[in-house]
Amino acid sequence: ASDRGADDVAVSYLQKALSVGDAPSRFTSLMGAGTFRTRIILAGRRVGRNEIDQAVTLMQWCIDHHPDFYGVLHPYATALLRAGRPARDIVDEVELRAGTITATMRFMLGTALFEQGAPLEAEAQFCHVLEAHPHSGPARAALVETLLYQRRYAEAADEAAALDWDNGLAVR
């Protein structure tokens, strides 16, 4: 009960931050503290409390107002997946809304997809990252993990062997 009480207090402070809004633009380090960053944190709390519809609403605002901020994609995709939306539909929606999707954005999307049980869609995202950045150790490691999860062991071994030897993630 005390954990729930502490969470209730945190949620109330996050909602207060939203009601206050962002600091003036001259305080660049606080940008988003009263808008999108707070909504991302609050959405995570809502997901943790299984209040998925509220999390989706919070993240919908973020993707509508900050579609190019890579930090929106992981919690947005997670909330939609937890709401029961098909993974392929989420990828299509993100590609439509975000315009130019950077490798970092694809990595975040792929991570959310993998964590929520959509390995094929995650694999595609990690492959997109590797097309743009073939020497990305984290993307290759994520792809390897995704292939292992799917029990595609030979492909996973080939991908693991493709890591650069000077990469800390390389098989030695």
Side-chain angles (χ1 to χ4, degrees):
S2 66
D3 286 345
R4 177 64 184 226
D7 191 57
D8 288 343
V9 170
V11 166
S12 98
Y13 280 118
L14 290 164
Q15 290 171 327
K16 172 94 171 148
L18 287 177
S19 71
V20 171
D22 260 343
S25 62
R26 69 181 179 272
F27 300 109
T28 57
S29 65
L30 299 176
M31 185 175 207
T35 55
F36 66 96
R37 292 181 191 274
T38 301
R39 280 180 173 81
I40 291 168
I41 295 166
L42 189 53
R45 294 273 182 176
R46 296 291 189 202
V47 166
R49 294 165 72 151
N50 208 29
E51 297 169 349
I52 305 304
D53 290 342
Q54 291 146 327
V56 168
T57 299
L58 289 161
M59 291 312 305
Q60 191 71 51
W61 186 95
C62 292
I63 199 81
D64 287 345
H65 292 86
H66 299 278
D68 55 344
F69 177 56
Y70 74 90
V72 168
L73 288 183
H74 185 279
Y76 180 60
T78 298
L80 291 175
L81 288 160
R82 293 283 304 272
R85 292 274 304 275
R88 185 66 243 166
D89 291 355
I90 294 166
V91 171
D92 291 344
E93 182 176 334
V94 165
E95 288 176 346
L96 179 70
R97 287 175 164 273
T100 302
I101 302 178
T102 66
T104 300
M105 293 168 81
R106 288 209 182 268
F107 186 85
M108 299 301 284
L109 178 58
T111 301
L113 291 163
F114 180 72
E115 290 173 351
Q116 297 300 314
L120 291 174
E121 292 81 359
E123 176 185 347
Q125 297 307 307
F126 298 136
C127 286
H128 282 301
V129 174
L130 289 169
E131 287 170 12
H133 302 282
H135 301 291
S136 171
R140 192 157 311 275
L143 178 59
V144 168
E145 185 176 7
T146 302
L147 293 169
L148 288 171
Y149 179 83
Q150 297 174 70
R151 296 186 171 136
R152 292 164 52 195
Y153 302 119
E155 292 171 76
D158 289 344
E159 288 297 333
L163 280 166
D164 290 335
W165 282 105
D166 61 348
N167 188 305
L169 301 169
V171 177
R172 300 201 189 262

